[in-house]
Amino acid sequence: MPVGGKLVLKGGLKVTSTGVTKKKKKRKEEELTEEKKKQREEERKTQGGISVMSNKSYEEEFSLEMSKAKEGKAKAAPWSSGYKKAPEILHGYDKKVKGKTAEERLDMRSAMKSDKFCK
C-alpha cells in the first residue's frame, strides 16, 4: 500500500478514501448569436411564474390579491391578510430588488403582506 501518494487507475480515474472519482470532461462553450441571446431572454421571461393549467402569470391569476396589495388594504376578517407597500430594500437583501428571478418576485409579494403569520 503506497503511503502519501495518489493511486490513479487507467483512464484517469483517481482512488480516494471515499471511492473512485472520475475525471471531469471540459464543456465546450457555444458561441451565441444575437438571435439566440434574444430567444433565451424571451424564454427566461416567460418561464418565471406561469401557471400550466391556465397559462397565466401569478399577477394575472390572482388579480384581486394584486389589486389589494397595490391599494394597501387592511384586514377585513381575522383569517384574511392585510397589505401594505413593500420596502425598497427587503429583509435579507443588500440592494433594491427588481423582481428578475422567481425568488425575488416571491419575496416582494410576501413583503407586501403586513401580517406576521402570513409570510
Side-chain angles (χ1 to χ4, degrees):
M1 182 95 188
V3 178
K6 293 182 181 178
L7 183 58
V8 181
L9 302 175
K10 290 181 180 178
L13 300 175
K14 295 180 183 178
V15 179
T16 61
S17 61
T18 58
V20 177
T21 57
K22 294 182 179 180
K23 190 175 183 181
K24 294 183 179 179
K25 295 180 182 179
K26 294 181 181 178
R27 287 187 173 183
K28 294 180 182 178
E29 294 184 23
E30 295 179 22
E31 292 184 24
L32 297 177
T33 62
E34 291 297 321
E35 292 178 13
K36 287 184 180 180
K37 286 180 184 178
K38 288 179 183 177
Q39 185 179 12
R40 283 194 179 175
E41 190 66 33
E42 291 290 326
E43 289 174 359
R44 287 182 185 150
K45 286 180 183 178
T46 57
Q47 284 177 353
I50 292 186
S51 174
V52 178
M53 298 287 283
S54 63
N55 203 18
K56 294 180 182 177
S57 67
Y58 182 88
E59 287 76 14
E60 294 169 349
E61 187 79 31
F62 300 101
S63 60
L64 180 64
E65 183 177 338
M66 296 311 294
S67 65
K68 285 181 185 178
K70 286 179 185 174
E71 293 173 13
K73 287 219 168 197
K75 283 172 67 167
W79 55 83
S80 64
S81 297
Y83 294 93
K84 63 179 180 179
K85 186 180 177 188
E88 285 190 23
I89 299 175
L90 301 178
H91 179 75
Y93 288 90
D94 295 334
K95 57 186 178 187
K96 189 174 178 181
V97 177
K98 300 185 190 225
K100 291 183 180 178
T101 64
E103 293 170 346
E104 288 179 353
R105 289 190 296 273
L106 178 65
D107 290 341
M108 289 170 65
R109 286 194 300 265
S110 66
M112 284 188 241
K113 293 189 177 186
S114 62
D115 302 334
K116 61 182 179 181
F117 299 114
C118 282
K119 292 184 179 181

